[in-house]
Amino acid sequence: FSDGSSTAFFWHVPKCGGTTLQRLYWCMGFTLANEVGANPKFGYNERDDLIAFRPWDNNPGQVVNVDVSSHEGIMNAKKKGFLVNS
């Protein structure tokens, strides 16, 4: 990942420590794409473009406004251009 052209992809498998890893990544300031990004309470879910935002003031991590934890969310992320092969 040193050349900046790659994107790390973490596949969350339930009951295998994934939630712990997500919390660790948030604390380290990483940007994640999960159900938080598409939560209507944050107000970014209806946008047609991709945007990374900080859902919590006391946490350095960000989320992208897509939810890749469901088929519908993956299709919406694709429509927005998330992880497009260039």
Side-chain angles (χ1 to χ4, degrees), residues 23-37:
R23 290 178 180 160
L24 176 66
Y25 292 151
W26 267 320
C27 289
M28 294 173 66
F30 284 94
T31 301
L32 304 175
N34 61 17
E35 66 278 1
V36 175

Side-chain angles (χ1 to χ4, degrees), residues 3 18 20 30 35-36 43 51 55 57-58 66 68 72 80:
D3 66 358
T20 301
F30 284 94
E35 66 278 1
V36 175
I51 186 168
D57 291 335
N58 61 345
V66 294
V68 293
E72 180 183 353
K80 291 182 180 185

Side-chain angles (χ1 to χ4, degrees), residues 4-5 9 17 23 28 31 34 50 61 68 75 77 79 84-85:
S5 66
F9 189 82
R23 290 178 180 160
M28 294 173 66
T31 301
N34 61 17
L50 291 170
V68 293
M75 297 310 291
K79 184 176 83 175
V84 173
N85 189 10

Side-chain angles (χ1 to χ4, degrees), residues 20-21 39 43 47 59 61 70-71 84:
T20 301
L21 280 177
N39 190 320
R47 291 180 60 138
N59 193 312
S70 69
H71 181 265
V84 173

Side-chain angles (χ1 to χ4, degrees), residues 38-54:
N39 190 320
K41 77 178 183 178
F42 297 113
Y44 296 99
N45 59 314
E46 296 295 329
R47 291 180 60 138
D48 292 331
D49 59 337
L50 291 170
I51 186 168
F53 65 95
R54 288 181 57 205

